[in-house]
Coordinates of all heavy atoms in Angstrom, one line a residue:
E597 N -18.9 -8.4 -1.8 CA -19.8 -7.2 -1.5 C -19.0 -6.2 -0.6 O -18.0 -6.5 -0.1 CB -21.0 -7.7 -0.7 CG -21.9 -8.7 -1.5 CD -22.5 -8.1 -2.7 OE1 -22.8 -6.9 -2.7 OE2 -22.6 -8.9 -3.7
V598 N -19.5 -5.0 -0.6 CA -18.8 -3.9 0.1 C -18.5 -4.3 1.6 O -17.4 -4.0 2.1 CB -19.6 -2.6 0.0 CG1 -18.9 -1.5 0.9 CG2 -19.7 -2.1 -1.4
P599 N -19.5 -4.9 2.3 CA -19.2 -5.2 3.7 C -18.0 -6.2 3.8 O -17.2 -6.1 4.7 CB -20.5 -5.9 4.2 CG -21.5 -5.3 3.4 CD -20.9 -5.1 2.0
N600 N -17.9 -7.1 2.9 CA -16.8 -8.1 2.9 C -15.4 -7.4 2.6 O -14.4 -7.7 3.2 CB -17.0 -9.2 1.9 CG -18.4 -9.8 2.0 OD1 -19.2 -9.6 1.1 ND2 -18.6 -10.6 3.0
R601 N -15.5 -6.4 1.6 CA -14.3 -5.7 1.3 C -13.8 -4.8 2.5 O -12.6 -4.8 2.8 CB -14.5 -4.8 0.1 CG -14.9 -5.5 -1.2 CD -15.2 -4.5 -2.3 NE -16.2 -5.0 -3.2 CZ -16.9 -4.2 -4.1 NH1 -16.7 -2.9 -4.1 NH2 -17.8 -4.7 -4.9
L602 N -14.8 -4.2 3.1 CA -14.4 -3.3 4.2 C -13.9 -4.2 5.4 O -12.9 -3.8 6.0 CB -15.6 -2.5 4.7 CG -15.5 -1.7 6.0 CD1 -14.3 -0.7 5.8 CD2 -16.8 -1.0 6.3
A603 N -14.5 -5.3 5.7 CA -14.0 -6.2 6.7 C -12.6 -6.7 6.4 O -11.7 -6.7 7.3 CB -14.9 -7.4 6.9
L606 N -10.1 -3.8 7.1 CA -10.0 -3.6 8.6 C -9.1 -4.7 9.2 O -8.3 -4.4 10.1 CB -11.3 -3.5 9.3 CG -12.2 -2.3 8.9 CD1 -13.5 -2.3 9.5 CD2 -11.4 -1.0 9.3
K629 N -11.8 8.7 4.7 CA -12.9 7.7 4.3 C -13.2 7.8 2.8 O -13.6 6.8 2.2 CB -14.1 8.0 5.2 CG -13.9 7.6 6.6 CD -15.2 7.9 7.5 CE -14.9 7.5 8.9 NZ -16.1 7.9 9.8
G630 N -13.1 9.0 2.2 CA -13.3 9.1 0.8 C -12.3 8.3 0.0 O -12.7 7.6 -1.0
L632 N -10.8 5.7 1.2 CA -11.1 4.3 1.5 C -12.2 3.8 0.6 O -12.1 2.7 0.1 CB -11.4 4.1 3.0 CG -11.9 2.7 3.4 CD1 -10.8 1.7 3.1 CD2 -12.2 2.7 4.9
A633 N -13.2 4.6 0.4 CA -14.3 4.2 -0.5 C -13.8 3.9 -1.9 O -14.2 2.9 -2.5 CB -15.4 5.3 -0.5
L636 N -12.0 0.7 -2.0 CA -12.9 -0.5 -1.9 C -13.9 -0.6 -3.2 O -14.7 -1.5 -3.2 CB -13.8 -0.4 -0.7 CG -13.0 -0.5 0.6 CD1 -13.9 -0.3 1.8 CD2 -12.2 -1.7 0.7
G637 N -13.7 0.4 -4.1 CA -14.5 0.3 -5.3 C -16.0 0.7 -5.1 O -16.9 0.2 -5.7
T638 N -16.2 1.7 -4.2 CA -17.5 2.1 -3.9 C -17.5 3.7 -3.7 O -16.6 4.3 -4.1 CB -18.1 1.4 -2.6 OG1 -19.5 1.7 -2.4 CG2 -17.3 1.8 -1.4
V639 N -18.6 4.2 -3.2 CA -18.7 5.7 -2.9 C -18.9 5.9 -1.4 O -19.2 5.0 -0.6 CB -19.9 6.3 -3.7 CG1 -19.7 6.1 -5.2 CG2 -21.2 5.6 -3.3
S640 N -18.6 7.2 -1.0 CA -18.6 7.5 0.4 C -19.9 7.2 1.1 O -19.9 6.7 2.2 CB -18.3 9.0 0.6 OG -17.0 9.3 0.1
E641 N -21.1 7.4 0.4 CA -22.4 7.2 1.0 C -22.5 5.7 1.4 O -23.0 5.3 2.4 CB -23.5 7.6 0.1 CG -23.6 9.1 -0.1 CD -22.5 9.7 -1.1 OE1 -21.8 8.8 -1.7 OE2 -22.4 10.9 -1.2
T642 N -22.1 4.8 0.4 CA -22.2 3.4 0.7 C -21.3 2.9 1.8 O -21.7 2.1 2.6 CB -21.9 2.6 -0.6 OG1 -22.8 3.0 -1.7 CG2 -22.0 1.1 -0.4
L643 N -20.1 3.5 1.8 CA -19.2 3.2 2.9 C -19.8 3.6 4.2 O -19.7 2.8 5.2 CB -17.8 3.9 2.6 CG -16.8 3.7 3.7 CD1 -16.4 2.2 3.8 CD2 -15.6 4.5 3.5
S644 N -20.4 4.7 4.3 CA -21.0 5.2 5.6 C -22.1 4.2 6.0 O -22.2 3.9 7.2 CB -21.5 6.6 5.5 OG -20.4 7.5 5.2
R645 N -22.9 3.8 5.1 CA -24.0 2.9 5.4 C -23.4 1.6 5.9 O -24.0 0.9 6.8 CB -24.9 2.7 4.2 CG -25.8 3.9 3.9 CD -26.9 3.5 2.9 NE -26.4 3.0 1.7 CZ -26.2 3.7 0.6 NH1 -26.4 5.0 0.6 NH2 -25.8 3.2 -0.5
T646 N -22.3 1.1 5.3 CA -21.7 -0.1 5.6 C -21.2 -0.1 7.0 O -21.3 -1.0 7.8 CB -20.6 -0.5 4.6 OG1 -21.2 -0.6 3.3 CG2 -20.0 -1.9 5.0
F647 N -20.5 1.0 7.4 CA -20.0 1.2 8.8 C -21.2 1.1 9.7 O -21.1 0.5 10.8 CB -19.3 2.5 8.9 CG -17.8 2.4 8.6 CD1 -17.2 3.2 7.7 CD2 -17.0 1.6 9.4 CE1 -15.8 3.1 7.5 CE2 -15.6 1.5 9.2 CZ -15.0 2.3 8.2
R648 N -22.3 1.8 9.4 CA -23.5 1.8 10.3 C -24.0 0.4 10.5 O -24.4 0.0 11.6 CB -24.6 2.8 9.8 CG -24.3 4.2 9.9 CD -25.5 5.1 9.8 NE -26.1 5.0 8.5 CZ -25.8 5.7 7.4 NH1 -24.9 6.7 7.6 NH2 -26.4 5.6 6.3
K649 N -24.1 -0.4 9.4 CA -24.6 -1.7 9.4 C -23.7 -2.6 10.3 O -24.2 -3.4 11.2 CB -24.6 -2.3 8.0 CG -25.1 -3.8 7.9 CD -26.6 -3.9 8.4 CE -27.2 -5.2 8.0 NZ -26.5 -6.4 8.5
L650 N -22.4 -2.5 10.2 CA -21.5 -3.3 11.0 C -21.6 -2.8 12.5 O -21.5 -3.7 13.4 CB -20.0 -3.1 10.5 CG -19.8 -3.6 9.1 CD1 -18.3 -3.4 8.8 CD2 -20.1 -5.1 9.0
K651 N -21.9 -1.6 12.7 CA -22.1 -1.1 14.1 C -23.4 -1.7 14.7 O -23.4 -2.2 15.8 CB -22.2 0.4 14.1 CG -22.5 1.0 15.5 CD -22.5 2.5 15.5 CE -22.9 3.1 16.9 NZ -22.9 4.6 16.9
E652 N -24.5 -1.7 13.9 CA -25.8 -2.3 14.3 C -25.6 -3.8 14.6 O -26.3 -4.3 15.5 CB -26.8 -2.0 13.2 CG -27.2 -0.5 13.1 CD -28.0 -0.3 11.8 OE1 -28.3 -1.3 11.1 OE2 -28.4 0.9 11.6
D653 N -24.8 -4.4 13.8 CA -24.5 -5.8 14.0 C -23.6 -6.1 15.2 O -23.4 -7.3 15.5 CB -23.9 -6.5 12.8 CG -25.0 -6.5 11.6 OD1 -26.2 -6.3 11.9 OD2 -24.5 -6.7 10.5
G654 N -23.1 -5.1 15.9 CA -22.3 -5.3 17.1 C -20.9 -5.6 16.8 O -20.2 -6.1 17.7
L655 N -20.4 -5.4 15.5 CA -19.0 -5.8 15.2 C -18.0 -4.7 15.6 O -16.9 -5.0 16.0 CB -18.9 -6.1 13.7 CG -19.1 -7.6 13.3 CD1 -20.6 -7.9 13.5 CD2 -18.7 -7.8 11.9
L656 N -18.5 -3.4 15.4 CA -17.5 -2.3 15.6 C -18.2 -1.0 15.9 O -19.4 -0.9 15.8 CB -16.6 -2.2 14.4 CG -17.2 -2.0 13.0 CD1 -17.7 -0.6 12.8 CD2 -16.3 -2.4 11.9
E657 N -17.4 0.0 16.2 CA -17.9 1.3 16.4 C -16.9 2.3 15.8 O -15.7 2.0 15.8 CB -18.1 1.6 17.9 CG -18.8 3.0 18.2 CD -19.1 3.1 19.6 OE1 -18.1 3.3 20.4 OE2 -20.3 2.9 20.0
V658 N -17.4 3.4 15.2 CA -16.5 4.3 14.5 C -16.7 5.7 15.1 O -17.8 6.2 15.3 CB -16.7 4.4 13.0 CG1 -15.8 5.4 12.3 CG2 -16.7 3.0 12.4
L674 N -16.4 -12.5 8.2 CA -17.0 -11.7 7.2 C -16.0 -11.3 6.0 O -16.4 -11.3 4.9 CB -17.6 -10.4 7.8 CG -18.3 -9.4 6.8 CD1 -19.5 -10.0 6.2 CD2 -18.7 -8.1 7.5
A681 N -23.4 -10.0 2.5 CA -23.2 -10.1 4.0 C -24.6 -10.4 4.6 O -25.6 -10.0 4.2 CB -22.7 -8.8 4.5

Side-chain angles (χ1 to χ4, degrees):
E597 300 294 325
V598 175
N600 309 110
R601 299 178 212 163
L602 176 57
L606 293 174
K629 290 180 181 177
L632 175 56
L636 298 178
T638 187
V639 294
S640 297
E641 292 78 5
T642 300
L643 178 64
S644 296
R645 287 197 299 269
T646 303
F647 268 122
R648 286 197 299 271
K649 179 64 165 58
L650 296 182
K651 178 180 179 180
E652 292 169 359
D653 290 344
L655 271 70
L656 54 78
E657 187 171 75
V658 183
L674 179 61

